[in-house]
Amino acid sequence: IFIDDLIYVDKLGSGNFGEVFLVSSLKENNYYALKVLKKKKLVENTSEKHAKEEKKIHEQICFPFIMDYFRTYKDHDNIYFL
């Protein structure tokens, strides 16, 4: 799945560092949650380490009540957790 293959369906929530969106895949008939973290806010609050730790935790967790982690994307402004 590539970031360009995702269609934004709805906004699910927001927090201090970004927002979470419901997205669907153009190539598959699946829905995903996409967390978008603003790099600028992470740097301003010296929270880059927290984002790295969150990614590491998502990669390791396999539990029926927690959504599966697929991959991380990044661009100039944002970090994306799918």
Side-chain angles (χ1 to χ4, degrees):
I1 301 170
F2 296 100
I3 192 86
D4 294 335
D5 296 334
L6 300 174
I7 299 170
Y8 287 77
V9 177
D10 200 3
K11 183 176 177 180
L12 298 175
S14 61
N16 291 333
F17 300 109
E19 300 170 317
V20 179
F21 296 93
L22 177 65
V23 296
S24 65
S25 172
L26 286 171
K27 298 186 181 203
E28 303 171 3
N29 195 17
N30 293 327
Y31 286 92
Y32 303 93
L34 181 68
K35 185 173 188 176
V36 182
L37 301 172
K38 304 286 183 195
K39 286 183 180 179
K40 182 178 179 181
K41 287 192 176 190
L42 290 171
V43 171
E44 287 173 355
N45 293 290
T46 60
S47 296
E48 302 96 333
K49 182 179 176 184
H50 296 290
K52 289 178 184 178
E53 289 296 319
E54 181 177 354
K55 179 186 176 198
K56 187 188 295 185
I57 290 168
H58 282 299
E59 289 174 331
Q60 296 174 1
I61 289 179
C62 180
F63 191 74
F65 300 114
I66 299 176
M67 293 168 55
D68 291 334
Y69 167 82
F70 286 97
R71 68 175 294 180
T72 302
Y73 308 95
K74 65 180 180 176
D75 61 22
H76 184 265
D77 298 316
N78 302 309
I79 298 171
Y80 305 87
F81 293 152
L82 184 66

